[in-house]
Amino acid sequence: MSTGIILLTLFICYIYMLLKWKDVILLSAVTVGAAGVSMLIHYYMTRPLEKAIHAITQETTQISEGHFEGQVPQIGPIEFQRLAGQFNHMTGKLNESFQKLRSAEVSRRELVANVSHDLRTPMASIQAFVEALQDDVIQDKATFARYLQTIRLETGRLDGLIQELFKLSQLDAGGTEFVPERYNVDHLLLDSLQSLAFQLEEKQLQIDIDLPERLPPVAIMPQEMKRVLSNILDNAIRHSPVGGTISIQAKQLSAPYVQLNIQDEGQGMEEADSKKIFDRFYRADPSRTRTSGGAGLGLAIAKSIVELHGGTIGVESQTAIDNRGSRFWFTLPIDQ
């Protein structure tokens, strides 16, 4: 358009005899040549911009279709490279958010399936025994009392599952406020072991405790941490052989934490199981039998409580072939 205006101006000047025809031809040639050079420079300068805009447009199309794995190449001027970097950061955040949503949906489905599985067996057992009692099938008092005892145990199992689900949902929703108290580790161990005295005596298990002479008090919510320790000890008792030993060790770390280690003498677990042991409803026994454990929520609750305290939890285990047991550990913040 600019070139056309210049040429029109030169033609008007020639008509009004302000310029000679030779001058018009010369100026027109210079104008057209300058316009050509300008167009070439403009083309090569805007080409990277077009590529960058085209790449961003393609990526936005992929995002609109639900694909967040792509990356916009950082090409063109510095401003467009920054824009591409910010765009990649945004898509990364979106991908992370949608992965969490997908994971949450998968967890929700597994939760429904596992809860249904764990509720079905005791409910069926209770229904069968209640129907037998209502139909007067049972006549002798001993069998009648045994049926009532079974119903009581199954209802207690249902209540325990409901309480665990409620506690887990409370932790997930942030409904548990962190109000720590100054507490001694030896008192924590003593209270937890006393609550499990019957199970320990039943399997004739020995407890080997290794505590340093001077161990600083920790800042914890005692009842919550007792639940953590009880869940881990209950797991160790369940998998220890009769007459075995459970070793408990406490030590102060270089960071402001105290670490507790609980070692059993069971068969241990495979590496694949140790990575999933803290997942909800996960049990290393694929048959999910009642004799092999609870609902699979105890260690998940323990992990949530430890993380609420700002600590970490983990497990180290030998394979089932080595028969060297598993060592669970978690950290507690030192009261400062």
Side-chain angles (χ1 to χ4, degrees), residues 152-226:
R152 188 184 69 82
L153 291 175
E154 294 295 344
T155 52
R157 188 172 292 148
L158 287 175
D159 180 69
L161 175 59
I162 293 171
Q163 292 298 328
E164 287 184 335
L165 287 170
F166 176 74
K167 184 61 180 180
L168 197 58
S169 63
Q170 189 180 33
L171 290 168
D172 288 344
T176 302
E177 184 180 0
F178 182 56
V179 184
E181 301 178 16
R182 184 183 178 92
Y183 211 77
N184 292 318
V185 175
D186 53 349
H187 292 166
L188 177 66
L189 292 175
L190 182 61
D191 294 342
S192 301
L193 290 172
Q194 283 180 342
S195 65
L196 297 170
F198 177 77
Q199 293 93 314
L200 292 169
E201 291 177 3
E202 189 178 30
K203 294 194 71 172
Q204 302 175 10
L205 296 175
Q206 300 294 322
I207 300 296
D208 182 14
I209 299 179
D210 180 13
L211 292 178
E213 293 184 2
R214 300 184 62 181
L215 195 64
V218 292
I220 60 172
M221 294 188 292
Q223 294 303 320
E224 299 297 335
M225 291 312 304
K226 288 175 186 177

Side-chain angles (χ1 to χ4, degrees), residues 14-276:
Y14 172 74
I15 291 176
Y16 287 96
M17 297 183 179
L18 299 176
L19 291 173
K20 295 181 180 180
W21 179 249
K22 291 182 179 180
D23 297 332
V24 172
I25 295 298
L26 178 60
L27 293 174
S28 298
V30 172
T31 301
V32 172
V37 173
S38 176
M39 291 176 64
L40 288 174
I41 294 174
H42 179 269
Y43 173 79
Y44 284 108
M45 289 186 66
T46 57
R47 184 69 174 171
L49 302 181
E50 293 177 359
K51 288 183 178 180
I53 293 173
H54 180 68
I56 294 176
T57 302
Q58 283 186 325
E59 188 60 28
T60 54
T61 303
Q62 293 294 322
I63 290 177
S64 65
E65 295 176 355
H67 304 288
F68 303 96
E69 295 80 11
Q71 293 284 313
V72 177
Q74 298 184 8
I75 57 177
I78 187 64
E79 292 82 3
F80 274 76
Q81 293 182 24
R82 290 175 181 171
L83 176 62
Q86 292 295 327
F87 192 89
N88 292 335
H89 179 72
M90 179 193 70
T91 54
K93 290 293 185 181
L94 286 173
N95 186 41
E96 182 180 347
S97 298
F98 274 88
Q99 289 296 335
K100 289 181 179 178
L101 287 175
R102 294 189 185 102
S103 177
E105 178 62 19
V106 172
S107 298
R108 185 190 65 81
R109 293 178 180 176
E110 291 180 352
L111 176 67
V112 173
N114 291 325
V115 169
S116 300
H117 179 279
D118 286 310
L119 290 177
R120 186 181 302 116
T121 302
M123 288 297 295
S125 178
I126 292 172
Q127 183 178 2
F129 284 119
V130 169
E131 289 177 353
L133 295 176
Q134 286 179 334
D135 295 339
D136 292 330
V137 176
I138 309 302
Q139 300 297 328
D140 61 296
K141 291 184 178 181
T143 306
F144 189 87
R146 189 173 71 251
Y147 273 39
L148 289 179
Q149 175 69 7
T150 303
I151 292 173
R152 188 184 69 82
L153 291 175
E154 294 295 344
T155 52
R157 188 172 292 148
L158 287 175
D159 180 69
L161 175 59
I162 293 171
Q163 292 298 328
E164 287 184 335
L165 287 170
F166 176 74
K167 184 61 180 180
L168 197 58
S169 63
Q170 189 180 33
L171 290 168
D172 288 344
T176 302
E177 184 180 0
F178 182 56
V179 184
E181 301 178 16
R182 184 183 178 92
Y183 211 77
N184 292 318
V185 175
D186 53 349
H187 292 166
L188 177 66
L189 292 175
L190 182 61
D191 294 342
S192 301
L193 290 172
Q194 283 180 342
S195 65
L196 297 170
F198 177 77
Q199 293 93 314
L200 292 169
E201 291 177 3
E202 189 178 30
K203 294 194 71 172
Q204 302 175 10
L205 296 175
Q206 300 294 322
I207 300 296
D208 182 14
I209 299 179
D210 180 13
L211 292 178
E213 293 184 2
R214 300 184 62 181
L215 195 64
V218 292
I220 60 172
M221 294 188 292
Q223 294 303 320
E224 299 297 335
M225 291 312 304
K226 288 175 186 177
R227 179 192 288 265
V228 172
L229 195 54
S230 296
N231 287 346
I232 295 177
L233 285 171
D234 181 71
N235 187 75
I237 293 171
R238 212 165 39 233
H239 293 90
S240 293
V242 175
T245 300
I246 297 177
S247 302
I248 302 175
Q249 180 193 40
K251 60 181 179 179
Q252 182 177 354
L253 304 179
S254 56
Y257 286 94
V258 169
Q259 179 174 304
L260 285 178
N261 303 305
I262 297 93
Q263 173 85 38
D264 62 53
E265 295 180 345
Q267 290 187 336
M269 67 186 79
E270 301 292 341
E271 184 179 356
D273 292 325
S274 64
K275 292 180 179 179
K276 299 179 181 179

